[in-house]
């Protein structure tokens, strides 16, 4: 898999955060990429749950009524 290309951008960030991050030797581009990647993953997960809420609710109701196919064989 080829690494994604990078794009230069401009951000406004609190001066104290930049100062402290630089003092600790943090790579701000890397920190930003990780933070945005995590935020995207969380938002996509939330969106998927919302889009599939009805199906999930129907499935959970069915399991509550009838159980799962393996209930007879479970030892726990």
């Amino acid at each position: 898999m080829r690494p994604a290309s990078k794009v230069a951008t401009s951000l406004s960030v609190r001066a104290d955060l930049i100062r402290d991050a630089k003092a600790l030797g943090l790579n701000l581009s890397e920190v930003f990429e990780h933070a945005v990647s995590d935020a995207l993953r969380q938002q996509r997960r939330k969106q998927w749950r919302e889009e599939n809420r009805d199906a999930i609710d129907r499935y959970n109701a069915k399991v509550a009524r009838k159980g799962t196919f393996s209930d007879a064989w479970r030892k726990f």
Side-chain angles (χ1 to χ4, degrees), residues 19-65:
R19 182 189 65 241
D20 292 349
K22 285 183 178 183
L24 292 173
L26 295 177
N27 178 327
L28 294 176
S29 293
E30 187 176 301
V31 171
F32 174 79
E33 285 181 10
H34 285 290
V36 171
S37 179
D38 288 344
L40 287 169
R41 187 173 29 260
Q42 290 174 13
Q43 188 61 34
R44 287 178 180 139
R45 185 179 300 131
K46 178 182 175 185
Q47 183 179 353
W48 184 89
R49 281 192 206 120
E50 290 172 1
E51 290 171 354
N52 292 282
R53 181 177 312 162
D54 290 340
I56 293 167
D57 290 345
R58 285 193 308 270
Y59 175 78
N60 287 336
K62 180 180 176 182
V63 168
R65 283 190 322 272

